[in-house]
Structure formats: structure tokens, C-alpha cells
Amino acid sequence: MDEPQTNGTESSSPLQRLLIGAGTLLVVILTVIGAVLLAMQESPESNPTSVAQASPTATGTPIQLPTATFTAQPPAVNTPTLLPPTATPVSIGDT
């Protein structure tokens, strides 16, 4: 039941299939390790100088924004408002 497979002209033994599978597995493992190492090497935390710096490329006169100027104002004085005197009610019958 466990006969070697044929591809038309040649037959492969179980040992050959095992070696091909082991070789393929080794290539996959090495590829994953290489990808992990490259990802760790290019991370911004480990190499902060690899971050691209933006440089101005525009030509011409730079735009000057207006600057705010502040002048000190004296504090507001709370002056009382004078009201006319009011009449005091007189009660009749105080004797």
C-alpha cells in the first residue's frame, strides 16, 4: 500500500521525500528568522536616525506671519456710583 510515487520516468524513495521535506522546512525557518531580524533592525525605536527628516523644498519668499503685540492695561478700578439720598419713611403716631 505504501508504494513509491512515480512522476512518469523516475520513482522517489521515502528517504528522498524525507530529505526534500526537511530541506524545504529548513529554508522556511531560515526565511522567517531573516525576516524577523530585518524587522528588528529597521524599527524606529532601535535606530532613531533612520527616520526620514522633512526638508523644505519650496522656493521664493517665505511668508511672514504677523506677530501679536500686547500692551499692558492698568487694572480696572471699581469706583462706586453715588446715588441721591433717599427719604426715610416717618411713621405717624410716634408720640
Side-chain angles (χ1 to χ4, degrees), residues 30-47 50:
L30 290 176
T31 303
V32 169
I33 291 173
V36 168
L37 290 176
L38 281 175
M40 287 174 46
Q41 182 181 8
E42 294 180 4
S43 69
E45 293 85 25
S46 64
N47 192 2
S50 68

Side-chain angles (χ1 to χ4, degrees), residues 7-8 11 15-16 21-22 25-26 29 33 35 38-39 46 57 60 63 67 69-70 76 80 83-84 86-87 93:
N7 59 3
S11 64
L15 180 61
Q16 285 177 328
L25 181 63
L26 181 64
I29 289 173
I33 291 173
L38 281 175
S46 64
T57 57
I63 299 173
T67 57
T69 55
F70 297 100
L83 298 175
T86 58

Side-chain angles (χ1 to χ4, degrees), residues 11 13 17 21 34 38 44-45 48 61 63 66 77-78 80 87-89 93:
S11 64
S13 70
R17 287 185 284 173
L38 281 175
E45 293 85 25
T61 308
I63 299 173
V77 178
N78 199 4
T88 309

